[in-house]
Amino acid sequence: MRAAGALRPRRRPAVAAREELHPLVGEPVEVTVDDGARLHVEVDPADAAPAGAPTVVMVHGYGLSADAWHFQRLALRGRHRLVLPEHRGHGRSTRGPAGPVGVARLADDLGQVLDAVVPTGPLVLVGHSLGGMTIMELAVRRPDLLERTRAVALVATSSGGLAAFDHGLPLLGRHLVRWAEQALQRTAERADVLERGRRLGAEVEQRLVSHWSFASPVAPEVERLAARMMAGTSVGTIADLLPAFGTLDESEALTALAGRAVLVVAAERDLMTPAAHGRTIADAVPGAEHVLVRQSGHLVMLEHPAVVTSRLERLLARATADGDGAPPGDEVVLPLAERTRAARAARAARARRGRR
């Protein structure tokens, strides 16, 4: 049931400029991890960050790339040092040894990236979906890095229990992942054939990606970006990681995150990691801020970028010396209301500057 007062967009929102969705370019760094996989990392230096400011590490989700953070990166670059690693087999990172890959392996990868790229100084860790799971696992496996972490943002993710989720397909959904695992295992040796089939069905794939990624109309450029990231992830990588979701259990990590500023963003109509799982995470971490975004699907940071960006900025304020330290609360956000509030705040700030 839709909440009273919820607004449903009636048309596609415009994107300010088509060029805005072209891949952003930072300083590329390649980190070779212990099993030989070469991980691509994008680094955006800060132009005017104060001494001791935390480095913001943004970890993308399953089947995506660093481009998933396009709008948040645009908003934060220059003001914060940003580090955007790409999981093995995703984006420009190599796959490494073939075979099943668990969240523990990705957490080890992330730890080695941080050792190489951010060896000292405070951290703010931001993860979407699989990226959030990786950060939770990192909190358990690398207490030394957790000690340096001032804040954590977990966006449209889960700490476990996904095997029982129907992915928006009642009766069939609970078996969907297992069927997919079996099909991918049988066809792993003919991945080249599957990749050719994907190219031929690119338009169909884009529509499927859009269905499982967004819950409200988005600009065509945003749809194409999501589809492009998924199409750039090989069938082999998808097969390697798929079994990890059914056995995921990051409950231990939630205890480890206590005492830090934690933001949990859940998407109301998420067909990949249900909104209730965000509530579970927030309940398990004392003092966590929980935000439920209405009219939103799994790629909430692309669908409603202003909402996610504004919440990340508030988290960064809490993580730095000039944060007000105010205890967070739970909130249900209507994207249109959030955009209106942000616009009013910006106008008020400009008016204050004009009076000085």
Side-chain angles (χ1 to χ4, degrees), residues 36-217:
R38 299 189 305 278
L39 305 183
H40 180 86
V41 185
E42 288 279 313
V43 179
D44 289 346
D47 296 331
T55 295
V56 182
V57 183
M58 310 182 78
V59 190
H60 67 80
Y62 181 50
L64 305 175
S65 73
D67 292 336
W69 296 110
H70 181 91
F71 294 108
Q72 290 70 42
R73 189 177 177 185
L74 272 178
L76 299 176
R77 67 190 328 198
R79 296 190 287 144
H80 304 273
R81 183 177 187 236
L82 306 180
V83 172
L84 298 97
E86 294 185 323
H87 293 301
R88 59 177 58 220
H90 293 71
R92 290 145 286 188
S93 295
T94 67
R95 181 176 164 189
V101 176
V103 175
R105 173 68 258 184
L106 299 184
D108 288 342
D109 288 349
L110 179 57
Q112 292 176 53
V113 166
L114 296 180
D115 290 340
V117 182
V118 199
T120 61
L123 302 166
V124 170
L125 305 180
V126 181
H128 168 255
S129 186
L130 179 61
M133 300 168 193
T134 301
I135 288 171
M136 286 185 270
E137 180 68 18
L138 183 75
V140 174
R141 300 176 76 83
R142 291 292 304 271
D144 58 318
L145 292 175
L146 183 62
E147 284 184 11
R148 293 168 49 198
T149 300
R150 290 186 180 176
V152 174
L154 301 171
V155 180
T157 191
S158 172
S159 59
L162 288 171
F165 183 49
D166 66 13
H167 298 280
L169 297 171
L171 302 179
L172 295 177
R174 295 185 181 185
H175 306 288
L176 181 64
V177 171
R178 184 58 190 155
W179 290 342
E181 287 177 16
Q182 294 171 345
L184 287 169
Q185 288 168 0
R186 286 195 297 268
T187 57
E189 296 180 359
R190 300 302 307 277
D192 56 332
V193 176
L194 286 178
E195 294 294 355
R196 286 198 297 271
R198 289 177 74 187
R199 288 192 291 272
L200 291 172
E203 183 177 348
V204 173
E205 182 172 16
Q206 178 172 324
R207 293 189 180 190
L208 290 173
V209 169
S210 182
H211 173 74
W212 264 282
S213 300
F214 307 116
S216 63

